[in-house]
Every structure is written in structure tokens, then in C-alpha cells.
Amino acid sequence: MNDLIIQNIKQLILPKSTERPLKGADLDELNIVENGTVVVKDGKVVYSGPYTNDFEAKETIDATGKVVSPALVDAHTHLVHGGSREHEMSLKRQGVSYLEILEQGGGILSTVKATCQTSEDDLFKKAEHDLLTMMHHGVLAVESKSGYGLDKENELKQLKVSRRLQDKYNLDMRHTFLGPHAVPKDASSNEAFLEDMIALLPEVKAYADFADIFCETGVFTIEESKRYMEAAKKEGFKVKIHADEIDPLGGLGLAIDQQAISADHLVASSDTDKAKLSDSDTVAVLLPGTTFYLGKNDYADARGMIENNGAIAIATDFNPGSCVTNNLQMVMAIAALKLKLSPNEIWNAVTVNAAKAIDVDAGTINKGDKANIVIWHAPNHEYIPYHYGINHVEKVIKDGKVIINHDIALA
């Protein structure tokens, strides 16, 4: 006997199961089944496709008029952090740049101070609340970065919190060491601080899956980033990079050369580097919510990356300074409006490709996959990025069991 049948699905979204990320024109190919059925047994999908009544189960969910999809994947977050920075909004409205705020001791450095002053248990409570918000918005796979400690004790504290969250909720989480996220004001030099972070790599390997670095003007150069990435790979890390967010330093090209699993931001990436995506499986993780929140006019060139046969994913970049949202649905809407992505491209970018960007078994609900599923209160897959700023989730199903239910019967 099966455990669960989801029946009468108006639209069933079935991204392609693939070993490599979807690239170029393949990003616009998405199997959408009208009047679909999903059958689950022992936490796995045993059938997903057109309507059938050939199966029996202990429980049936009637999804008449609803959309069903894989649970979403948020491939770039700064989930664990102390404090908040709402006071910076007035500075931004006055036109003060992100780097200028950083030079004044704000930005990342103010969050570093707050994180260092917050206990591990209090960081856990804050991050747990934000993670549960993500889950209520349909996300069951998350990448969580450190980077607000900038020293051994506090970087490890963040990674331990991230691991505790994974253990408590049994989620598909990946943990990223982002020690070189900024340079402390008391550092003797960028190079000396970077060497300290490289020296930490063996110890953080017990807690982190990836090593990441912020390659940007005023932070770390291409040469410093390359040295860090090569050292991390020697310690067994897969590598990532915050690249070309503000200036076109060549971070995307470096990521491709280093066979990074992802390169993230990429607002200012050069045409030369974008062309290199064609021969690479490095996923370009685009963060349009950050550009939106910072009030910038120039967004990452998603269309150019796709035309160069590149692989892209979409993520929130949830953090307290430059993208204060953990609602991936909102970012899907911004991707439609500002990155000019089609609905099919967006769905692939927050499911199967986002999963490839963080190396998790997630983002698909084909036969044999984990039954991590979202039922959406929406008439079709285009409606969710169209009707922006609210939560369309009706039910979240993890390993075949409903863990979140927003179905409210109207009087």
C-alpha cells in the first residue's frame, strides 16, 4: 500500500532529472502535466505524471485547481547572522554606496560585530525563525554561509549553528565557509588576513561543504581569490566565489578556470567571461533581489548567459544588509521582471539548477526522487512569479508527509 496520492493536479511541474545543470535553451524546457497525479511510498515518488487511478494509498490529497512542484532550493543565503541593519536604509536613500557604508564601519563589518556578540544559542534561535520562514514559502533545500565572524571562534560558531539546524529539521542543507567575506579593520593587511583564513580551512572542513570568497574592489583581488580557491581545493573543498558584483574584475572567468561549483552575483561580468560559460558546468547563481534592494538599475545579464549556453540558478542572497528577504517566490518575480526570464526558466532555476549549484539531491519529483513537494494555491505555473509579494504555498510535503498546511477553509 502506498502512503500518499496527490490527485487531480491542475498543473504538475516536473523538472528534468539530470546529472549536469540545464544549460542554454534547455533551461526553457519544462515538463508540465495537465491533470496530473503523484504517488508516494516510503518517502519516495513512485509515480508522477498524467492522471491515473491505478494506485491506492492510505491518504489522498485532492489538488483540484492547484499547482504541484518540487520543493524549492535556495542556493545562496547568509542564514546565520546577528543583528539587523535597518538604519542603513536612510543612507542608501541618500545615495551612499555599499562600499562607502563598508568604509564607515557599517555594512558587513557591523553585522560581524553583532554576530560576534551573539551567543551560539541566540544565533540558532534567530536563524531557526528565518529558516522556518523559508520552509513556509516552499523551500526545503538551503545553502547557508558563514562570513560574519572573520575569526576562528565566530566562523566556527556560525557553521555549528547551520549544522544544528540541519540536524533538527533533517533538511537538504549545505554549509559554506566564507571566512574571506570582508577584511577586519584591525587586520595588518588583506594578504595577512587571507592567510589566516587559509590556515582555518583544515579545521572548518569538519563543518563546511564549500569554501567561498568575496572577490571585489576593496575586498579580495583575483590573485588573492585564486590562491584561496586553490588552497581550499587541496583541503577537499568544492569552491564558490562572490564575483563581479560591483566591478568587472574577472571573477566569473576565475570561477570557470577553477571549476567552481558556482559563481554568484555576476552583475558586472564581462562578455568574455560570459562566453566561457558555454564550456563549463559552473552554475551562475544570480541574485536579482540584491540588485533590487540596493536600488541599482543594472541587473545580471541572464539572457546573455543563457544565449552563451550557460547554466543559471536564482537565489535570494538572504542577508541583513543587501537583500533582506527570505521569500524566494518574491525573487522569482524579480527574475521575471528584471532578468527577463520565462516562467519555465525561472522554475528550472529555483529547482534542478539551484540543486546543482549546491550539490544536493533535490529539485525534481520524478520516479525514485525524494517526495519533497509543494502544493501551490495557484491556477498555473506562470501565476506564482506573476502575483508577487505574497505566499502562494498551500502545503509543504517533506519525505511524503505534510509538514506545513496553509489550507484555510473559507466560511
Side-chain angles (χ1 to χ4, degrees):
M1 177 70 71
N2 297 295
D3 297 315
L4 174 67
I5 293 176
I6 308 172
Q7 198 66 286
N8 304 316
I9 302 165
K10 187 170 188 294
Q11 280 196 346
L12 173 58
I13 301 173
L14 296 175
K16 181 181 178 181
S17 295
T18 174
E19 292 185 3
R20 302 173 63 185
L22 299 175
K23 301 179 66 177
D26 289 344
L27 272 161
D28 204 27
E29 295 183 8
L30 184 64
N31 185 17
I32 299 175
V33 178
E34 305 286 342
N35 191 18
T37 297
V38 175
V39 183
V40 175
K41 182 176 182 179
D42 298 329
K44 301 282 188 179
V45 176
V46 297
Y47 175 83
S48 58
Y51 175 88
T52 178
N53 59 4
D54 293 341
F55 296 89
E56 295 182 352
K58 300 171 187 174
E59 180 184 2
T60 298
I61 294 175
D62 182 1
T64 298
K66 309 293 172 58
V67 172
V68 170
S69 79
L72 305 183
V73 180
D74 198 340
H76 183 128
T77 84
H78 300 258
L79 176 63
V80 182
H81 62 264
S84 60
R85 286 163 31 200
E86 59 272 21
H87 57 282
E88 292 180 7
M89 287 194 74
S90 61
L91 294 175
K92 292 169 183 172
R93 284 196 298 269
Q94 295 167 31
V96 181
S97 75
Y98 177 74
L99 290 179
E100 287 173 321
I101 292 172
L102 184 65
E103 289 169 0
Q104 295 171 18
I108 288 174
L109 296 179
S110 65
T111 299
V112 169
K113 182 178 180 180
T115 302
C116 293
Q117 292 175 345
T118 304
S119 71
E120 182 179 321
D121 286 344
D122 285 345
L123 280 177
F124 179 88
K125 291 174 186 175
K126 178 176 170 59
E128 181 180 35
H129 178 272
D130 290 327
L131 178 62
L132 287 170
T133 299
M134 293 179 184
M135 294 167 65
H136 275 268
H137 284 79
V139 171
L140 288 181
V142 180
E143 185 253 16
S144 172
K145 301 180 188 292
S146 69
Y148 294 126
L150 308 186
D151 62 25
K152 175 180 174 179
E153 176 187 356
N154 290 291
E155 288 295 314
L156 286 172
K157 181 171 68 175
Q158 287 181 267
L159 292 168
K160 288 174 182 177
V161 167
S162 188
R163 286 282 180 176
R164 285 174 58 186
L165 289 167
Q166 180 179 19
D167 291 343
K168 181 171 181 176
Y169 292 98
N170 191 29
L171 296 182
D172 291 315
M173 287 187 72
R174 290 292 182 266
H175 318 277
T176 300
F177 173 55
L178 179 57
H181 191 194
V183 181
K185 283 195 172 293
D186 60 358
S188 60
S189 67
N190 284 31
E191 186 172 336
F193 174 70
L194 183 62
E195 291 304 316
D196 289 343
M197 294 299 101
I198 289 173
L200 272 181
L201 287 168
E203 189 163 354
V204 300
K205 187 68 178 70
Y207 302 96
D209 305 290
F210 308 120
D212 197 347
I213 186 168
F214 190 11
C215 179
E216 189 53 74
T217 300
V219 194
F220 296 101
T221 66
I222 287 288
E223 293 75 19
E224 290 167 337
S225 300
K226 180 180 179 181
R227 184 160 74 253
Y228 175 78
M229 295 169 85
E230 290 178 344
K233 289 194 294 184
K234 287 180 181 177
E235 294 296 336
F237 286 94
K238 294 183 179 180
V239 293
K240 294 175 168 283
I241 187 170
H242 282 54
D244 304 334
E245 180 179 0
I246 300 168
D247 293 323
L249 301 187
L252 174 56
L254 174 64
I256 293 168
D257 292 343
Q258 292 292 319
Q259 297 181 310
I261 190 168
S262 77
D264 301 30
H265 284 291
L266 311 182
V267 175
S269 292
S270 69
D271 290 342
T272 299
D273 282 355
K274 283 180 284 189
K276 295 173 71 173
L277 283 167
S278 179
D279 298 318
S280 170
D281 282 343
T282 295
V283 180
V285 179
L286 308 183
L287 310 169
T290 305
T291 308
F292 169 82
Y293 184 77
L294 293 176
K296 301 293 184 66
N297 294 319
D298 294 328
Y299 285 74
D301 181 19
R303 294 256 53 94
M305 294 174 191
I306 292 170
E307 289 164 7
N308 277 296
N309 197 41
I312 69 164
I314 302 297
T316 59
D317 190 24
F318 171 57
N319 74 83
S322 61
C323 193
V324 198
T325 184
N326 35 355
N327 179 358
L328 187 53
Q329 294 172 51
M330 180 66 184
V331 177
M332 291 166 69
I334 298 171
L337 293 167
K338 298 298 186 178
L339 301 188
K340 312 300 182 185
L341 297 180
S342 73
N344 288 1
E345 290 168 337
I346 291 168
W347 280 101
N348 280 323
V350 296
T351 55
V352 59
N353 268 23
K356 299 304 179 189
I358 59 172
D359 194 25
V360 292
D361 179 15
T364 58
I365 48 170
N366 299 310
K367 184 177 180 180
D369 290 334
K370 287 181 286 191
N372 290 346
I373 299 165
V374 177
I375 300 176
W376 302 88
H377 189 78
N380 55 67
H381 75 297
E382 296 184 43
Y383 188 85
I384 292 156
Y386 151 77
H387 187 176
Y388 70 94
I390 68 160
N391 188 2
H392 295 280
V393 168
E394 181 176 287
K395 291 181 176 67
V396 178
I397 298 168
K398 183 181 179 299
D399 298 323
K401 297 180 180 179
V402 176
I403 63 167
I404 292 169
N405 190 351
H406 296 158
D407 187 13
I408 301 173
L410 299 179

